[in-house]
Amino acid sequence: YKKNKKKIFGIILAIIIFIFSIIFYNYLVERKITNLSKDYIYASIQAQEGKKIEATNNFKKIIYSNEPTYSSLALFFLIEKELIVDLNEILNLYDHVINNNKFDTEMKNLLIYKKALVIFERSTEISMVEILKPIINSDSVLKSQAQLLLGDFFVYKKNYLKAKDLYLRIFNESNQDNYKILAKDKLENISNEIN
């Protein structure tokens, strides 16, 4: 004990510092989340009171805080309440949220899917395909849903052959019966346009 006294105290001190560091870090994270929740509520109230510029700025601050839950909620609020209508700004905010937050794969795919929904009527074919490609080329639970959306986009753009190819792919490859039924119905709906 006498020979290793300094080593023992050093190890004990290191363990104590480590434990307090973890406790302090968790405290800071919880405090940040608590403050973000207050900021989110405050920005929501501002939006309800018609203070759109202030609310928009506060929601953007929340988005740029890079806390996954509140960044996503703030983005959805801005879009739903049409506080931001500029498509490029919306896309940039989506890209920021997707690329700067730690999401599991399915949550990230959900954000990508929602981004595609936002630009559905204002997008080019190349943009829509590029946005949905990560989901369509994966084993995501949203794969068939993304394929349906892209097929619907092709129908919207009157590109019925590409829509047919996607719907057939869903019908042949999907392991979910509800998507097969939807794909079959959509194929029947566009059959007159193809012939």
Side-chain angles (χ1 to χ4, degrees), residues 22-37:
I22 291 173
I23 291 169
F24 185 68
Y25 175 77
N26 287 335
Y27 167 76
L28 290 177
V29 169
E30 286 178 26
R31 187 170 149 201
K32 178 183 177 183
I33 291 171
T34 301
N35 288 338
L36 284 172
S37 70

Side-chain angles (χ1 to χ4, degrees), residues 85-87 90 118-124 153 156-157:
V85 291
D86 179 70
L87 182 60
I90 292 170
V118 167
I119 66 164
F120 186 89
E121 293 179 355
R122 301 183 272 180
S123 182
T124 64
F153 176 78
Y156 177 75
K157 295 291 184 175

Side-chain angles (χ1 to χ4, degrees), residues 72 75-76 94 97-98 103 106-116 142:
S72 303
L75 175 60
F76 299 152
Y94 260 107
V97 170
I98 291 168
F103 295 114
E106 291 305 329
M107 183 59 190
K108 195 171 192 175
N109 286 339
L110 179 62
L111 286 165
I112 292 169
Y113 181 82
K114 286 176 126 338
K115 178 182 173 184
L142 292 171

